[in-house]
Amino acid sequence: MATVTIGLIGLLSAPTEEYDGIGVIVVVLVSLTTFPVSLRWFFGGWPTPKALVAYVVYADVSIGTCLLLKQELLTAIGGTVLFAVVTMFAVIAVRPSVYWVHMATNVVVLAIVSVRAALNDAASPGVVAAHTLTMLLMFAAPMILVIYVSELRSRAQESLVDPLTGLCNRRGLVAAVETVFLTSQKDRSAEMSAVVLDVDGLKRVNDTLGHHTGDAVLVDLAQHLRAVTSNKWVVARLGGDEFACVSVAEPGTTEPRIEALVAALSDTRMISGLSVSVGSATTEAHVGGSKQAIQLLLRTADAEMYRAKSTRRQSGDYSGSAPG
């Protein structure tokens, strides 16, 4: 709605004395682009992170171009308030580095317009300075929101991370997989695979050597998982000594990926000499149902892991990791 409104402002201003010559044509064309952009927002779903950055760039360039073409320079200074609308969006939707580039762009456009206003005697120097300072204050106001949102993001991130290993926790796993699914698959179906594992005999280590040694085993396993997954899997500690690796891929491509990971885990030896038991599962998932699919997938892989562990316990074989 804000994008359409800014476009309407441009269309209403173009035929007035604020613009002349080529400026009228440019402002009309730029203003007309706001309508397809708005339709994309209404009917296209929430954009990807790259698309969000592109939108901020588009808004800055469009608004800046129209303001720099204004003939009424004092009005152009006041028009920089439109940047504040984009700023409120940028604070929430894009990463801080993009926000700061956006703010720098705002200040540069304001500085250019203000200098032109002073040089062309658009008003007395005091009036130009007062208007410029007012706009700078408008630009600075969202700083409070930036600090607040940064704190919220930090706390939210902490709630998704396992403090011992630095991996995702269960909530973080779901959030990370949903993000991968939404950003990479869009409206297409996909296969999700899960490999679940736990440490054989960790309770005995905790009871005989202490929990600090058990924690060291878990940290060592977390580091090994980071190395063998090579960013192709979302890795998490589900709780206790249980870990999970989840992958989203095109249908038909998951089996080799699972086999490679299970093979790597079969050679796993922690600093204590312990091994791991492994279970795996695959399911089809669609946008909107990925959370339920993840939970079902983990339960299925977990059951496979305990079946493998039970089989090994009955046979007395703990000489190596066993895939489920």
Side-chain angles (χ1 to χ4, degrees), residues 227-242:
V228 298
T229 53
S230 302
N231 297 321
K232 295 180 180 179
W233 298 75
V234 178
V235 186
R237 180 189 176 200
L238 301 180
D241 64 342
E242 190 167 349

Side-chain angles (χ1 to χ4, degrees), residues 280-291:
S280 63
T282 300
T283 187
E284 185 174 324
H286 301 270
V287 173
S290 55
K291 183 175 182 179

